[in-house]
Amino acid sequence: MPKLTKQVIDSGTQYTFDLPVKVLQFGTGVLLRGLCDYLIDKANKQNIFNGRIVVVKSTAGSADDFAEQDGLYTVCVRGVDNEGQTIDEATAVTSISRVISAQDSWQSILQVARNPHLEVIISNTTEVGIQYVEESIFQSPPQSFPAKLTAFLYERFRTYGGKKDKGLVVVPTELITDNGLKLRECVEKISVYNELGKLFNKWLKYHVKFCNSLVDRIVPGKPDAVTYAALQEKIGYEDALLTVAEPYLLWAIEGDERVRKALSFEQISENVIVDEDISYYRERKLRILNGSHSAAAPLGYLSGFDITFQCMNDPAMSKYYEAIIYDEIVPTLPFEEQMDELKVFAGDILNRYRNPFIQQKLIGITLQQSSKMNARNVATIRRYYQQFNKAPKLFTIGFAAYLLFMRAVKQQNEHYFGQRGEEFYVINDEQAAYFYEQWQGVTVETVPAFVQAVLSNTKLWDTDLTKLTGFAETVAEYLVEMMNTSVKTTLEKAIL
C-alpha cells in the first residue's frame, strides 16, 4: 500500500498545490486539521478561498511526519445524520503548504511575514497559550505564543512600512471567552515591553483585526489500531496523520465586512458564521454542549462507562442527558425568541453523543472538572432557581457524582487517584489537593457538613451555593445514597 504523497492524490485537485500562501497557522493539532484546515481545503477545491497554509509547530520535535506526506493528511468524517443515514466520507486535505518548526527554523517563519499574499493568522495553542509573558521578541524564537505572534507582526510591519493593505486578520480558536480580545491585549503589552514604537502600535490598532471566535467539532484524531487499519484499507494508502471527525461543525467568528472578505471560506457552509456578535453561539454551546458534558461525565464514569456513546446506550444515562438538556438547561437560556432553534440545537447535540464512530472518553472530559463545573453550570443552576424557585434535580445528581469523583483514595508523586471498582484513575484537576484534604475523615454521617463546606467555598464557585434553597441538602442526600449503594443504582432509582 503506497504512502500518502502528492503522487497518490486525485489529479483533479493537483492545482491546489500551486495556490499562494494566504494563512499562517500556529498549531498542528487535530482540531485545526479537522476543522479549520479542512474547511479551507473545501473552499480551495470550490475555487473560493484559493490560498494555502503555512503551519508553525511550536512544541518540541520535528515536523517530519508532515514533510514525509507533502503536508497532506486525510480527514474521515464519520457519523449518523438526523435521518439516521450513516455518513462515512474520506477527504485528502491539500491546504497545508508546509509545517515549520519554530525551535529549528524561526527565521523561515519570519520570512513568511514578508509574503505579500498573506491575509490571515489562525491559532490553537490550548487555553494556556494566550497568556502575557514579559520577554524579548528578538529571541530565536520567543517562547510564548503571543510573543511569537508579536515578533511576526512586527516583521511584517517593518517589511511593508506599516501599509494599511498589509494588515492581517487574526483568528484564535483557543477555547476561552473573548479569545481575540485577550490575544490582542497580550500583543499590545508585549509591544510596549519591547518598545516597538508608536507607529507599530498604530498599525496594530487600525490594520490588524483580532477576532473572537468559537469552534465546535469533535475531532478525536487517530482512531484505534483496528479502525485505523480498516480506514487505510478503504482509502487505499497509508496515512500517519489520518484524522477522524464527526459530521457536525461550527466556526463562529466575530467580525465585519473586512473580516468576511478575508475569510471567504465562510461561504461554503452555513455553520461557518461571520457576525458582529457571536455571544449567542458561544452561550448555547457553553451551556448545552459543554454544560451537559460536565454534569454527566463523572456520573457516567462512576456508573462504569468509558465513552459517551456507551452512556447513550444505557436507559438511565441516556434519559439523564436528555432530561438535563431539555428540562434544566434549555429553559434557562436568555434567548426566548430563539427557543425553537435552541431545541433543534439540543437535539443535534444528543445525536452527536449517539455517534457510534466517535470514541469520546469520559475521563478526558473530566480534565479540570472543578473549573468546568463552575464556568459551565453554576450560572445555569442559578438561572434555574430564578425561573423555577427549586433545586434542579438532574444537576444535584450530577453534582453529587462530581463530588464523589473528586474523592482521592491515594496520593503518589503529587498525583491524586480516585477509585472505580478495582481500578484507579488520575484526578486531573487543580483542586485535587483541596478535595483530598476535604474528604479526609468524611463518613456517611458527616457528608452533609462536607457538602456544606465545599458548596460554600466562594473561591471555587464565585458564589455561595448553600444559599440556594435545598441545593446542598439534595446534593448531600444523593451523595449518601451513592456511597451506600452505587452511583448507577442511585441514578436508576431517581430517573427511571
Side-chain angles (χ1 to χ4, degrees):
M1 188 179 297
K3 190 175 183 66
L4 175 59
T5 60
K6 289 181 181 180
Q7 283 68 41
V8 304
I9 292 296
D10 178 11
S11 59
T13 63
Q14 290 285 341
Y15 76 94
T16 60
F17 297 128
D18 299 324
L19 295 174
V21 169
K22 293 172 67 174
V23 180
L24 180 76
Q25 175 177 298
F26 286 89
T28 60
V30 293
L31 178 63
L32 287 169
R33 302 206 312 262
L35 178 62
C36 306
D37 304 344
Y38 169 84
L39 287 167
I40 290 172
D41 176 72
K42 289 189 69 175
N44 286 342
K45 290 169 181 174
Q46 295 178 35
N47 199 30
I48 293 175
F49 184 69
N50 296 320
R52 299 188 80 199
I53 306 163
V54 167
V55 177
V56 178
K57 180 179 175 60
S58 296
T59 54
S62 72
D64 290 347
D65 47 355
F66 285 89
E68 290 171 2
Q69 297 187 177
D70 298 327
L72 305 174
Y73 64 95
T74 309
V75 172
C76 295
V77 177
R78 314 187 81 201
V80 179
D81 64 19
N82 292 335
E83 283 72 44
Q85 299 298 312
T86 298
I87 298 171
D88 194 356
E89 303 169 349
T91 301
V93 175
T94 64
S95 55
I96 293 179
S97 173
R98 56 187 172 135
V99 178
I100 307 175
S101 167
Q103 301 299 322
D104 301 333
S105 306
W106 179 242
Q107 293 304 314
S108 296
I109 293 168
L110 291 181
Q111 189 172 357
V112 178
R114 305 170 199 142
N115 175 4
H117 303 289
L118 197 71
E119 297 182 9
V120 180
I121 296 177
I122 298 170
S123 72
N124 194 301
T125 56
T126 75
E127 289 82 344
V128 299
I130 301 181
Q131 291 190 11
Y132 172 63
V133 178
E134 286 189 351
E135 61 173 312
S136 169
I137 68 163
F138 301 106
Q139 302 174 80
S140 186
Q143 295 306 302
S144 70
F145 160 55
K148 289 184 178 75
L149 176 59
T150 307
F152 185 89
L153 292 172
Y154 187 61
E155 181 67 22
R156 188 166 183 83
F157 167 79
R158 291 199 308 173
T159 300
Y160 292 104
K163 286 186 178 180
K164 175 182 178 180
D165 64 350
K166 297 305 178 187
L168 299 170
V169 173
V170 181
V171 188
T173 65
E174 287 81 358
L175 295 176
I176 58 174
T177 302
D178 295 332
N179 45 21
L181 293 176
K182 289 174 181 174
L183 181 56
R184 171 183 279 282
E185 182 181 358
C186 291
V187 170
E188 289 175 343
K189 286 182 177 179
I190 291 168
S191 174
V192 171
Y193 178 77
N194 283 270
E195 300 179 344
L196 300 183
K198 293 181 179 179
L199 290 177
F200 172 69
N201 291 332
K202 183 178 179 181
W203 180 77
L204 197 64
K205 180 177 180 180
Y206 292 106
H207 306 311
V208 179
K209 188 76 172 179
F210 287 79
C211 304
N212 297 326
S213 88
L214 171 72
V215 291
D216 185 9
R217 191 178 213 185
I218 300 172
V219 188
K222 192 173 180 179
D224 62 83
V226 175
T227 304
Y228 178 52
L231 289 173
Q232 287 193 124
E233 188 69 30
K234 180 180 178 181
I235 59 181
Y237 52 77
E238 294 181 9
D239 181 359
L241 298 169
L242 186 146
T243 302
V244 173
E246 67 170 335
Y248 179 87
L249 63 85
L250 173 72
W251 193 1
I253 303 159
E254 217 160 67
D256 53 18
E257 284 305 315
R258 174 193 166 189
V259 172
R260 182 173 284 106
K261 182 178 179 181
L263 308 181
S264 58
F265 54 78
E266 62 97 21
Q267 301 172 36
I268 69 168
S269 171
E270 62 181 11
N271 284 341
V272 182
I273 299 158
V274 177
D275 199 305
E276 292 182 356
D277 183 4
I278 63 169
S279 57
Y280 166 70
Y281 303 100
R282 181 170 55 242
E283 184 73 1
R284 72 176 189 179
K285 175 182 181 287
L286 178 69
R287 303 302 171 193
I288 303 177
L289 174 67
N290 301 132
S292 63
H293 256 330
S294 291
L299 187 66
Y301 185 78
L302 293 181
S303 292
F305 304 111
D306 293 317
I307 60 175
T308 304
F309 177 67
Q310 292 172 337
C311 292
M312 299 308 290
N313 282 330
D314 176 75
M317 280 303 303
S318 178
K319 188 173 180 179
Y320 180 85
Y321 274 100
E322 292 175 8
I324 199 169
I325 287 175
Y326 284 121
D327 298 341
E328 296 186 0
I329 299 177
V330 170
T332 69
L333 289 168
F335 306 108
E336 291 184 11
E337 294 181 358
Q338 291 94 358
M339 196 53 64
D340 289 341
E341 183 180 315
L342 288 170
K343 290 177 181 177
V344 172
F345 179 75
D348 288 342
I349 285 174
L350 289 167
N351 284 337
R352 295 167 69 187
Y353 290 165
R354 296 186 181 101
N355 187 344
F357 299 108
I358 301 298
Q359 305 293 304
Q360 196 170 29
K361 294 182 179 180
L362 297 173
I363 197 68
I365 297 170
T366 66
L367 177 68
Q368 300 300 345
Q369 176 73 12
S370 297
S371 63
K372 287 177 179 177
M373 285 291 279
N374 181 31
R376 299 172 175 184
N377 290 328
V378 168
T380 302
I381 292 168
R382 296 178 70 182
R383 287 174 184 167
Y384 187 91
Y385 266 91
Q386 292 169 4
Q387 191 164 342
F388 299 104
N389 196 30
K390 64 178 182 179
K393 177 180 178 180
L394 288 312
F395 271 114
T396 59
I397 296 172
F399 228 98
Y402 151 69
L403 295 177
L404 190 59
F405 177 85
M406 294 297 295
R407 181 173 64 176
V409 297
K410 66 176 182 177
Q411 178 187 8
Q412 186 176 334
N413 298 327
E414 298 184 358
H415 294 292
Y416 296 87
F417 295 84
Q419 187 170 7
R420 183 183 71 167
E422 299 298 319
E423 62 183 9
F424 297 95
Y425 58 89
V426 178
I427 301 174
N428 284 310
D429 193 304
E430 289 181 356
Q431 300 300 330
Y434 165 79
F435 276 96
Y436 183 68
E437 293 298 326
Q438 289 294 314
W439 268 107
Q440 295 299 312
V442 173
T443 64
V444 169
E445 289 73 21
T446 60
V447 161
F450 161 75
V451 172
Q452 286 282 330
V454 172
L455 296 193
S456 64
N457 187 335
T458 57
K459 291 183 179 180
L460 282 178
W461 316 115
D462 301 312
T463 188
D464 184 349
L465 292 176
T466 64
K467 292 183 178 180
L468 300 175
T469 304
F471 187 75
E473 292 79 4
T474 308
V475 169
E477 289 173 8
Y478 281 124
L479 181 53
V480 167
E481 188 171 348
M482 290 174 181
M483 293 169 67
N484 281 334
T485 58
S486 72
V487 173
K488 197 169 192 305
T489 299
T490 300
L491 175 63
E492 289 172 344
K493 180 180 175 182
I495 204 168
L496 292 181

mmCIF file of all heavy atoms in Angstrom, residues 406-411 416-417 431-440:
data_model
loop_
_atom_site.group_PDB
_atom_site.id
_atom_site.type_symbol
_atom_site.label_atom_id
_atom_site.label_comp_id
_atom_site.label_asym_id
_atom_site.label_seq_id
_atom_site.Cartn_x
_atom_site.Cartn_y
_atom_site.Cartn_z
ATOM 1 N N MET A 406 -14.279 13.278 42.840
ATOM 2 C CA MET A 406 -13.134 14.026 43.350
ATOM 3 C C MET A 406 -12.574 13.441 44.653
ATOM 4 O O MET A 406 -11.645 13.999 45.229
ATOM 5 C CB MET A 406 -13.526 15.488 43.571
ATOM 6 C CG MET A 406 -13.868 16.241 42.299
ATOM 7 S SD MET A 406 -12.491 16.369 41.142
ATOM 8 C CE MET A 406 -11.366 17.392 42.086
ATOM 9 N N ARG A 407 -13.121 12.334 45.120
ATOM 10 C CA ARG A 407 -12.601 11.695 46.337
ATOM 11 C C ARG A 407 -11.359 10.879 45.988
ATOM 12 O O ARG A 407 -11.447 9.782 45.425
ATOM 13 C CB ARG A 407 -13.660 10.790 46.982
ATOM 14 C CG ARG A 407 -13.147 10.144 48.271
ATOM 15 C CD ARG A 407 -14.223 9.376 49.016
ATOM 16 N NE ARG A 407 -14.719 8.234 48.257
ATOM 17 C CZ ARG A 407 -15.602 7.349 48.721
ATOM 18 N NH1 ARG A 407 -16.108 7.497 49.936
ATOM 19 N NH2 ARG A 407 -16.009 6.352 47.967
ATOM 20 N N ALA A 408 -10.206 11.398 46.322
ATOM 21 C CA ALA A 408 -8.957 10.684 46.074
ATOM 22 C C ALA A 408 -8.711 9.681 47.196
ATOM 23 O O ALA A 408 -8.854 10.004 48.373
ATOM 24 C CB ALA A 408 -7.797 11.666 45.986
ATOM 25 N N VAL A 409 -8.343 8.471 46.817
ATOM 26 C CA VAL A 409 -8.081 7.429 47.813
ATOM 27 C C VAL A 409 -6.588 7.258 48.075
ATOM 28 O O VAL A 409 -6.193 6.591 49.031
ATOM 29 C CB VAL A 409 -8.691 6.085 47.369
ATOM 30 C CG1 VAL A 409 -10.201 6.200 47.281
ATOM 31 C CG2 VAL A 409 -8.097 5.625 46.036
ATOM 32 N N LYS A 410 -5.778 7.885 47.189
ATOM 33 C CA LYS A 410 -4.339 7.827 47.440
ATOM 34 C C LYS A 410 -3.644 8.960 46.702
ATOM 35 O O LYS A 410 -4.150 9.510 45.719
ATOM 36 C CB LYS A 410 -3.749 6.483 47.012
ATOM 37 C CG LYS A 410 -3.772 6.194 45.512
ATOM 38 C CD LYS A 410 -3.055 4.875 45.219
ATOM 39 C CE LYS A 410 -3.034 4.589 43.712
ATOM 40 N NZ LYS A 410 -2.290 3.344 43.403
ATOM 41 N N GLN A 411 -2.460 9.312 47.214
ATOM 42 C CA GLN A 411 -1.612 10.344 46.627
ATOM 43 C C GLN A 411 -0.261 9.730 46.306
ATOM 44 O O GLN A 411 0.298 8.979 47.099
ATOM 45 C CB GLN A 411 -1.436 11.508 47.600
ATOM 46 C CG GLN A 411 -0.520 12.607 47.089
ATOM 47 C CD GLN A 411 -0.230 13.654 48.145
ATOM 48 O OE1 GLN A 411 -0.603 13.482 49.303
ATOM 49 N NE2 GLN A 411 0.441 14.732 47.762
ATOM 50 N N TYR A 416 -3.091 12.631 42.396
ATOM 51 C CA TYR A 416 -4.156 12.112 43.246
ATOM 52 C C TYR A 416 -5.004 11.133 42.444
ATOM 53 O O TYR A 416 -5.327 11.394 41.274
ATOM 54 C CB TYR A 416 -5.014 13.268 43.775
ATOM 55 C CG TYR A 416 -4.240 14.202 44.676
ATOM 56 C CD1 TYR A 416 -3.521 15.273 44.142
ATOM 57 C CD2 TYR A 416 -4.204 14.008 46.047
ATOM 58 C CE1 TYR A 416 -2.794 16.128 44.952
ATOM 59 C CE2 TYR A 416 -3.478 14.856 46.880
ATOM 60 C CZ TYR A 416 -2.780 15.917 46.320
ATOM 61 O OH TYR A 416 -2.057 16.760 47.129
ATOM 62 N N PHE A 417 -5.372 10.032 43.079
ATOM 63 C CA PHE A 417 -6.067 8.961 42.387
ATOM 64 C C PHE A 417 -7.402 8.661 43.057
ATOM 65 O O PHE A 417 -7.479 8.466 44.273
ATOM 66 C CB PHE A 417 -5.219 7.688 42.373
ATOM 67 C CG PHE A 417 -3.945 7.811 41.604
ATOM 68 C CD1 PHE A 417 -2.807 8.343 42.207
ATOM 69 C CD2 PHE A 417 -3.872 7.417 40.277
ATOM 70 C CE1 PHE A 417 -1.612 8.464 41.506
ATOM 71 C CE2 PHE A 417 -2.688 7.526 39.567
ATOM 72 C CZ PHE A 417 -1.557 8.062 40.180
ATOM 73 N N GLN A 431 -7.895 21.414 41.690
ATOM 74 C CA GLN A 431 -8.454 21.357 43.043
ATOM 75 C C GLN A 431 -8.315 19.979 43.687
ATOM 76 O O GLN A 431 -8.908 19.719 44.733
ATOM 77 C CB GLN A 431 -9.939 21.750 43.003
ATOM 78 C CG GLN A 431 -10.193 23.149 42.468
ATOM 79 C CD GLN A 431 -9.516 24.234 43.286
ATOM 80 O OE1 GLN A 431 -9.329 24.088 44.501
ATOM 81 N NE2 GLN A 431 -9.147 25.320 42.636
ATOM 82 N N ALA A 432 -7.532 19.103 43.074
ATOM 83 C CA ALA A 432 -7.413 17.734 43.595
ATOM 84 C C ALA A 432 -6.880 17.716 45.026
ATOM 85 O O ALA A 432 -7.376 16.961 45.879
ATOM 86 C CB ALA A 432 -6.513 16.907 42.679
ATOM 87 N N ALA A 433 -5.886 18.539 45.322
ATOM 88 C CA ALA A 433 -5.320 18.572 46.675
ATOM 89 C C ALA A 433 -6.350 19.086 47.686
ATOM 90 O O ALA A 433 -6.450 18.565 48.806
ATOM 91 C CB ALA A 433 -4.071 19.451 46.693
ATOM 92 N N TYR A 434 -7.108 20.092 47.282
ATOM 93 C CA TYR A 434 -8.157 20.629 48.160
ATOM 94 C C TYR A 434 -9.169 19.552 48.518
ATOM 95 O O TYR A 434 -9.527 19.363 49.688
ATOM 96 C CB TYR A 434 -8.844 21.811 47.472
ATOM 97 C CG TYR A 434 -10.148 22.227 48.104
ATOM 98 C CD1 TYR A 434 -10.174 22.999 49.266
ATOM 99 C CD2 TYR A 434 -11.371 21.837 47.540
ATOM 100 C CE1 TYR A 434 -11.387 23.378 49.854
ATOM 101 C CE2 TYR A 434 -12.578 22.214 48.119
ATOM 102 C CZ TYR A 434 -12.573 22.978 49.278
ATOM 103 O OH TYR A 434 -13.770 23.340 49.858
ATOM 104 N N PHE A 435 -9.629 18.825 47.515
ATOM 105 C CA PHE A 435 -10.626 17.794 47.773
ATOM 106 C C PHE A 435 -10.035 16.619 48.558
ATOM 107 O O PHE A 435 -10.742 15.989 49.354
ATOM 108 C CB PHE A 435 -11.252 17.311 46.463
ATOM 109 C CG PHE A 435 -12.379 18.178 45.994
ATOM 110 C CD1 PHE A 435 -12.155 19.182 45.059
ATOM 111 C CD2 PHE A 435 -13.658 18.023 46.496
ATOM 112 C CE1 PHE A 435 -13.187 19.993 44.642
ATOM 113 C CE2 PHE A 435 -14.702 18.824 46.081
ATOM 114 C CZ PHE A 435 -14.461 19.825 45.153
ATOM 115 N N TYR A 436 -8.764 16.340 48.337
ATOM 116 C CA TYR A 436 -8.109 15.269 49.098
ATOM 117 C C TYR A 436 -8.166 15.582 50.588
ATOM 118 O O TYR A 436 -8.464 14.705 51.419
ATOM 119 C CB TYR A 436 -6.664 15.132 48.623
ATOM 120 C CG TYR A 436 -5.897 14.012 49.290
ATOM 121 C CD1 TYR A 436 -6.215 12.681 49.051
ATOM 122 C CD2 TYR A 436 -4.835 14.294 50.164
ATOM 123 C CE1 TYR A 436 -5.507 11.648 49.659
ATOM 124 C CE2 TYR A 436 -4.122 13.275 50.766
ATOM 125 C CZ TYR A 436 -4.462 11.947 50.510
ATOM 126 O OH TYR A 436 -3.755 10.943 51.119
ATOM 127 N N GLU A 437 -7.921 16.836 50.909
ATOM 128 C CA GLU A 437 -7.979 17.248 52.316
ATOM 129 C C GLU A 437 -9.417 17.257 52.833
ATOM 130 O O GLU A 437 -9.689 16.816 53.960
ATOM 131 C CB GLU A 437 -7.351 18.638 52.477
ATOM 132 C CG GLU A 437 -5.856 18.685 52.213
ATOM 133 C CD GLU A 437 -5.063 17.821 53.188
ATOM 134 O OE1 GLU A 437 -5.479 17.729 54.367
ATOM 135 O OE2 GLU A 437 -4.050 17.242 52.772
ATOM 136 N N GLN A 438 -10.342 17.767 52.024
ATOM 137 C CA GLN A 438 -11.731 17.872 52.454
ATOM 138 C C GLN A 438 -12.362 16.507 52.708
ATOM 139 O O GLN A 438 -13.206 16.351 53.599
ATOM 140 C CB GLN A 438 -12.545 18.633 51.401
ATOM 141 C CG GLN A 438 -12.234 20.113 51.313
ATOM 142 C CD GLN A 438 -12.621 20.866 52.563
ATOM 143 O OE1 GLN A 438 -13.711 20.699 53.107
ATOM 144 N NE2 GLN A 438 -11.704 21.674 53.078
ATOM 145 N N TRP A 439 -11.945 15.503 51.944
ATOM 146 C CA TRP A 439 -12.538 14.167 52.070
ATOM 147 C C TRP A 439 -11.976 13.390 53.270
ATOM 148 O O TRP A 439 -12.543 12.356 53.651
ATOM 149 C CB TRP A 439 -12.320 13.356 50.793
ATOM 150 C CG TRP A 439 -13.437 13.462 49.793
ATOM 151 C CD1 TRP A 439 -13.429 14.145 48.618
ATOM 152 C CD2 TRP A 439 -14.726 12.845 49.884
ATOM 153 N NE1 TRP A 439 -14.630 14.003 47.969
ATOM 154 C CE2 TRP A 439 -15.451 13.199 48.726
ATOM 155 C CE3 TRP A 439 -15.344 12.022 50.823
ATOM 156 C CZ2 TRP A 439 -16.749 12.772 48.485
ATOM 157 C CZ3 TRP A 439 -16.654 11.593 50.592
ATOM 158 C CH2 TRP A 439 -17.336 11.972 49.441
ATOM 159 N N GLN A 440 -10.891 13.867 53.856
ATOM 160 C CA GLN A 440 -10.286 13.135 54.963
ATOM 161 C C GLN A 440 -11.280 13.004 56.129
ATOM 162 O O GLN A 440 -11.822 13.989 56.626
ATOM 163 C CB GLN A 440 -9.020 13.846 55.446
ATOM 164 C CG GLN A 440 -7.895 13.892 54.431
ATOM 165 C CD GLN A 440 -7.420 12.513 54.016
ATOM 166 O OE1 GLN A 440 -7.162 11.647 54.858
ATOM 167 N NE2 GLN A 440 -7.328 12.296 52.704
#
